[in-house]
Amino acid sequence: MALKVEPILPHFGAECSGLDLTKPLSAEELKEVTDAMDKWGVTVWRNTGLTDEQHVEFSRNFGYLERVPKRPDGQKMRLPYRELFDASNLNLEGEITTDPAAVEYRKGDRLWHTDSAFLEKRTSYSLLLAHITPPPGVGGETWFADTRTAYDDLSQEMKDRIEGLVSINSLWWSRKKAGADVSEEEILERPLARHPIVHTHKGSGRKAIFIAAHTMDIEGMEGPEGRQLIEDLIAHITQDKYTFKVAWNPGDMVIWDNLCTMHRGAEYDYTAYKRDMRRTTVREGTEPHTMDTGDDPYTALFARSPKAVDINSARDAGR
Ligand code: OGA
Ligand code: MN
């Protein structure tokens, strides 16, 4: 069956149907999916019927999947595969978490960002699958923004200004912006990643802005000037005309290409409603079905979390 594609905005986002993602796809079907991703940046797949295992298996078609930090021996994980990032508001028992570090950590997802911009090795696709969603009308949607069309529409002066600039990114900067008690000094002691602010998106040949809530500074610019530019660019990219939101039902999956989009979770009352979302995360430039890359950046990064947002140690303490 052929892929059906219905655009959401004229140049960005599409609802896709007509493929059964629970079964292995043919080479032609896979190409239809990557072509749709290259063109639309975000694809929405309703009622997929995917299990955790099928979610991981389908995701491997797009490259190596990053893994969540290793748990100390014998410690329980909520999700059955290290390839599943837990974007839920639940604790290990599947109840709404009251762990302040976990709540603080998740707040960062409500700021406009691109996944893993705080790592040197960027993420191409994220594939987020809904398992439990809040009832309709109470929030908890996910917003997406088009960083290619936003780039196209910049003035020539702004394009010239940002060409060749390099950003400095930290996971903990986004958590600080969301209210976590982490000092700038603490952030600078931890891993930082540098990325060009403008790059050419491989699949489409279009230029895109690459920036995130993790973007702390711009190399060579003194604090306030760089930070203002970061804020101005995010405000430009996230104007109504470049954005849409997806409302979720269980079974829905959204694939976004972090190299040509930004996203953020919408507000909802996380103390009142369970929201169980699970994400696979593809490393840029890796071959399909790569099972090992010999490194483990998330374990390395979380080994050095500031306490205020250290999910591992909070869970270790049995909270
Ligand atoms: C993510 C993310 C937002 C949401 O999983 O990367 O930012 O709406 N999620 O759950
Ligand atoms: Mn995210």
Side-chain angles (χ1 to χ4, degrees), residues 135-211:
V138 305
E141 304 91 347
T142 306
W143 285 91
F144 295 94
D146 178 356
T147 62
R148 289 181 296 190
T149 308
Y151 175 85
D152 293 342
D153 291 351
L154 288 174
S155 66
Q156 191 56 48
E157 191 189 346
M158 188 55 121
K159 287 179 181 166
D160 293 342
R161 184 171 172 216
I162 64 176
E163 188 68 36
L165 291 182
V166 172
S167 65
I168 301 172
N169 300 274
S170 165
L171 173 56
W172 316 117
W173 178 250
S174 63
R175 272 49 200 170
K176 181 176 175 62
K177 278 174 86 176
D181 182 20
V182 191
S183 69
E184 280 194 35
E185 292 67 40
E186 260 186 295
I187 291 170
L188 293 174
E189 286 165 9
R190 294 190 161 79
L192 301 171
R194 291 173 166 75
H195 300 293
I197 283 195
V198 178
H199 72 126
T200 300
H201 176 256
K202 276 214 182 69
S204 61
R206 294 176 66 190
K207 281 192 170 180
I209 303 168
F210 187 77
I211 202 160

Side-chain angles (χ1 to χ4, degrees), residues 56-71:
V56 170
E57 214 34 60
F58 173 68
S59 303
R60 291 198 197 283
N61 286 311
F62 307 109
Y64 172 73
L65 304 183
E66 298 288 1
R67 312 176 101 209
V68 298
K70 245 201 198 107
R71 309 283 302 141

